[in-house]
Amino acid sequence: MDFTAYIDRAMEPLAADIAALCRINSVMGEAKPGMPFGEGPAAALKAALDMGEAMGFQTENFDNYVGHIETGEGEELLGIVGHLDVVPAGDGWSHDPWGGEIAGGRIWGRGTLDDKGPVLTCLHALKILKDSGVKLSRRVRMILGTNEETNWDCMAYYLKEVKPELPTVAFSPDSRFPVIYAEKAMLQFILTRELTEAIDIEGGNAFNSVPSSARITLPAAMEEALRAAIAASDEAELYDCRISGDRLTLTAKGVGAHAARLYDGKNAVSYLMKLLSRLPLEGELKEVVDFYNARFGTCIYGELMDLKVSDETGPLTLNVGRIFVKDGKLHLYCDCRMPICKEIPEVEEKVKAAIAGSGYTYAVQSTEGSLYVPKDSPLVTTLMGAYQKVTGDTQRQPIASGGATYSRTIPNCVSFGCLLPEQEDLMHKADEYVELRHLRIWLEVMVEAIYRLAK
């Protein structure tokens, strides 16, 4: 069936809805009564459900953990699993991250790519199918979480407390095209050590983001040594030194990226530590710098902890997403993505062995097992067919990813879109945006994919 006319009419309201939803700062906040993840995620869920209800779909809110938007008839269920929370904006934006600005053929804002834009694209695809009058044999249910970027408590609540009917088949529009048939296992952990000396250092904002900025305060007497170290560095352009009274602030600028794709980023914390290793440090700061450079350095594949390994799903990666001091303790937030050949307990043992005797303690923040759906499965081949029909791209094949999506929480589920191969990946980065010309392709693909899976 030709949905072109419906897609033409849907573009303006789709863009407006994405802009409106991206104006809601849905970073996880302080829990409040009836708002387990704070006001922002609850507001984003209400807004999305209101949009679905206005389109004539059935909606349900499960205590502001998860929401449903559902349509159609039939015994079997097609699930579309996405999330409405976002990572913090971070630094380096030239547009308001919460502005939802539509300008220059783009929609700007945190969440346009991850995952508000893709979620609403699927919602408008459902409306197109409804308005076109096509008969679907499966019900379609959008499952919208609000805690994906932190610890997935929303889906834990949904599966354990709500105990919903599980979809027969499902996909999550929270990655890239064409189809993600495998996702690496994920281990997020915290390394902590006690401090007796005052150390003022911070960088990054989340486990699953490559820090774009990091800074430390040092005595002004170190200025000469510091400027000499910067001048001798191969990455002098990354550093900035400012004096204020008897203190100086050293800042390292990196390149933000999603922890699933460390190779797209440049970890500001790691480069800050690299420069600090060239200074005449003493005491606990020297210990902190020496430890970091001995166990992490500027490597991204865990080489310094004897973790390097790879298979068809790619290499193991290790990211320090945040460093800070609080209540006399130094904290390192670490994110490890491992190929399907590696088990989480094996990695944990190596990390523990690497920090033994260092004064650091190890604590697990979260773990997620790997996902694997055969490339020749009906789900993968159907989604590939929809992508190929719309884009004409028959060369690319299903891919493996280091990303962790809700696909792991639902049986027979994979990630499908929405980032196109030609799109710049700005997930978790500054100036996140989606071009309207790409948004149209997203919408065409999602209409075709949902139609094929639910017809």
Side-chain angles (χ1 to χ4, degrees):
M1 182 171 179
D2 185 0
F3 299 102
T4 302
Y6 295 95
I7 290 169
D8 288 340
R9 290 195 294 269
M11 283 301 298
E12 186 173 341
L14 170 57
D17 280 351
I18 293 173
L21 195 57
C22 288
R23 292 186 190 110
I24 300 173
N25 180 343
S26 54
V27 175
M28 181 179 176
E30 181 182 352
K32 296 186 176 182
M35 301 178 185
F37 312 117
E39 295 181 0
L45 180 58
K46 181 182 185 304
L49 295 179
D50 286 349
M51 291 173 186
E53 187 172 350
M55 294 177 184
F57 300 135
Q58 300 171 10
T59 65
E60 191 167 3
N61 185 333
F62 299 99
D63 303 317
N64 279 324
Y65 282 87
V66 174
H68 279 177
I69 299 175
E70 187 168 336
T71 185
E73 299 177 349
E75 293 185 5
E76 293 189 346
L77 182 66
L78 165 63
I80 301 172
V81 195
H83 67 91
L84 301 171
D85 61 312
V86 294
V87 296
D91 302 323
W93 288 74
S94 61
H95 293 257
D96 181 356
W98 315 114
E101 178 187 359
I102 303 176
R106 297 172 173 178
I107 311 171
W108 300 86
R110 177 62 84 219
T112 49
L113 298 178
D114 183 19
D115 188 32
K116 294 174 180 179
V119 162
L120 292 184
T121 299
C122 292
L123 178 60
H124 279 260
L126 285 181
K127 185 176 187 301
I128 287 171
L129 292 170
K130 175 176 174 286
D131 291 348
S132 72
V134 299
K135 181 68 175 176
L136 302 179
S137 61
R138 282 176 170 156
R139 289 171 290 138
V140 183
R141 174 184 295 166
M142 295 189 65
I143 304 166
L144 307 180
T146 57
N147 184 227
E148 194 268 354
E149 297 291 6
T150 45
N151 55 20
W152 294 24
D153 281 349
C154 56
M155 291 303 287
Y157 179 90
Y158 179 64
L159 296 171
K160 294 177 183 177
E161 302 299 329
V162 177
K163 296 182 173 64
E165 172 191 0
L166 293 178
T168 306
V169 66
F171 69 87
S172 176
D174 190 21
S175 189
R176 58 183 60 220
F177 290 121
V179 180
I180 308 298
Y181 77 96
E183 292 182 2
K184 296 176 181 178
M186 181 179 72
L187 167 66
Q188 292 181 335
F189 60 92
I190 302 172
L191 299 183
T192 307
R193 69 159 281 171
E194 300 277 353
L195 296 174
T196 60
E197 301 173 9
I199 297 178
D200 181 15
I201 186 171
E202 65 176 354
N205 52 46
F207 285 91
N208 58 358
S209 293
V210 177
S212 60
S213 179
R215 65 146 195 90
I216 188 170
T217 303
L218 298 167
M222 299 189 72
E223 181 183 8
E224 184 177 349
L226 179 57
R227 294 197 184 279
I230 293 174
S233 169
D234 293 334
E235 303 93 10
E237 71 280 0
L238 301 181
Y239 304 107
D240 180 69
C241 175
R242 303 290 174 91
I243 300 288
S244 178
D246 64 348
R247 310 296 290 173
L248 66 80
T249 300
L250 169 64
T251 302
K253 291 295 183 182
V255 178
H258 195 292
R261 295 174 290 280
L262 299 191
Y263 40 79
D264 289 338
K266 200 177 192 73
N267 193 311
V269 174
S270 297
Y271 282 89
L272 180 71
M273 291 294 189
K274 182 178 179 180
L275 187 72
L276 290 174
S277 70
R278 297 177 174 142
L279 300 181
L281 304 176
E282 298 178 344
E284 289 180 338
L285 178 55
K286 177 175 172 52
E287 293 173 5
V288 167
V289 171
D290 288 348
F291 172 83
Y292 190 99
N293 287 310
R295 305 305 193 282
F296 298 101
T298 56
C299 304
I300 64 173
Y301 300 117
E303 299 97 316
L304 299 179
M305 288 197 187
D306 192 29
L307 292 172
K308 188 173 182 179
V309 67
S310 184
D311 66 15
E312 68 166 283
T313 60
L316 178 146
T317 59
L318 180 61
N319 177 58
V320 177
R322 187 182 180 198
I323 184 173
F324 66 101
V325 176
K326 183 178 181 181
D327 299 330
K329 294 181 180 180
L330 177 80
H331 304 267
L332 296 172
Y333 283 9
C334 308
D335 179 295
C336 182
R337 311 288 168 113
M338 60 206 76
I340 60 174
C341 69
K342 204 71 172 175
E343 298 292 336
I344 292 174
E346 295 179 66
V347 173
E348 288 192 286
E349 288 306 310
K350 290 204 170 188
V351 172
K352 291 175 183 177
I355 69 170
S358 67
Y360 285 78
T361 60
Y362 169 91
V364 175
Q365 172 69 14
S366 66
T367 61
E368 293 294 336
S370 60
L371 165 73
Y372 181 83
V373 176
K375 294 180 185 179
D376 60 355
S377 68
L379 173 58
V380 172
T381 56
T382 299
L383 292 174
M384 283 295 297
Y387 168 80
Q388 290 170 345
K389 178 182 177 182
V390 172
T391 66
D393 177 8
T394 59
Q395 299 303 309
R396 288 181 177 84
Q397 298 300 310
I399 54 180
S401 169
T405 71
Y406 283 156
S407 300
R408 303 166 190 248
T409 66
I410 304 291
N412 201 25
C413 183
V414 297
S415 291
F416 180 62
C418 275
L419 199 70
L420 292 158
E422 64 268 26
Q423 282 184 266
E424 183 180 7
D425 183 0
L426 292 168
M427 297 182 192
H428 295 204
K429 299 181 184 179
D431 276 345
E432 184 178 347
Y433 70 85
V434 59
E435 291 191 50
L436 296 177
R437 64 188 180 95
H438 290 140
L439 183 63
R440 182 188 174 87
I441 299 173
W442 289 9
L443 186 57
E444 289 183 72
V445 174
M446 288 307 178
V447 169
E448 186 66 26
I450 296 169
Y451 174 67
R452 291 187 180 207
L453 288 173
K455 69 180 179 181

